[in-house]
Amino acid sequence: LLQNGFAMSDETIQQIKNTANHQESMLDEVVQYIQKKCSFYVVTSYGHPFILSDNPVLIDKYDNAKYIFPVDPKHAIICAVRETDANMDWGYLNSIEDDTVDEINYFSLQNADNLIVCHPDDKAYCLALLQRVNHRKNNQNSKGDMQGAEKK
């Protein structure tokens, strides 16, 4: 900024430096947490495909699986939080049930903001799940509208 003719007080310059240092220390803390508390597993689906979206799936019901990241139609990475500190580890799970893939995909579609990706061969499957998500959202919105009308 200074090279482009912007004038800043010494206090402002110090605040910018402190912010940059704080962000680096926060990143270090996150990396340390991941290294001490997380295990990662790669799972393979031999049946239903994974659907990718712009948000990871956050699920707590699968034995401390916190995040599930579908990375392609056949594979996902699961981040599980361990109860005790240890070195970060990786594992591979042979396969995952179609019902579980469907549930992960449902949450992935539900969490998506702007982007959903599926293989063209899986378009019908993806659209059917998307219709379920939209149907549920519409039902929840309708119930909320009706409850609001009852209160008036």
Side-chain angles (χ1 to χ4, degrees):
L1 292 172
L2 294 172
Q3 293 173 349
N4 291 318
F6 287 93
M8 289 185 277
S9 68
D10 290 338
E11 181 183 345
T12 302
I13 293 171
Q14 189 59 46
Q15 285 176 340
I16 292 171
K17 287 180 180 177
N18 289 343
T19 300
N21 289 338
H22 179 67
Q23 287 175 343
E24 287 176 15
S25 68
M26 284 178 48
L27 180 59
D28 289 340
E29 286 180 41
V30 169
V31 169
Q32 288 174 12
Y33 177 83
I34 289 171
Q35 289 174 335
K36 288 181 181 178
K37 294 281 190 184
C38 295
S39 296
F40 294 90
Y41 302 94
V42 176
V43 294
T44 302
S45 173
Y46 293 103
H48 292 176
F50 287 108
I51 297 170
L52 288 67
S53 75
D54 54 0
N55 279 319
V57 178
L58 172 64
I59 299 178
D60 283 328
K61 71 182 243 182
Y62 296 116
D63 296 327
N64 290 330
K66 294 296 181 185
Y67 291 97
I68 301 175
F69 301 92
V71 293
D72 69 30
K74 295 291 178 195
H75 301 94
I77 297 173
I78 297 174
C79 172
V81 177
R82 293 189 302 265
E83 298 296 323
T84 59
D85 290 355
N87 291 327
M88 181 174 63
D89 64 337
W90 280 88
Y92 296 92
L93 301 176
N94 240 358
S95 66
I96 190 168
E97 298 290 324
D98 282 346
D99 290 346
T100 305
V101 173
D102 292 345
E103 190 169 14
I104 291 167
N105 286 337
Y106 182 87
F107 287 122
S108 186
L109 291 172
Q110 197 172 36
N111 291 346
D113 288 326
N114 298 307
L115 182 66
I116 296 170
V117 178
C118 69
H119 191 276
D121 292 344
D122 304 321
K123 184 178 177 181
Y125 169 77
C126 183
L127 289 174
L129 274 176
L130 191 56
Q131 285 177 340
R132 276 185 43 209
V133 169
N134 287 332
H135 179 72
R136 183 167 183 188
K137 283 183 182 180
N138 289 337
N139 283 344
Q140 288 174 344
N141 289 340
S142 296
K143 287 179 185 177
D145 293 343
M146 288 173 33
Q147 289 173 351
E150 290 172 5
K151 290 181 181 179
K152 291 180 183 180

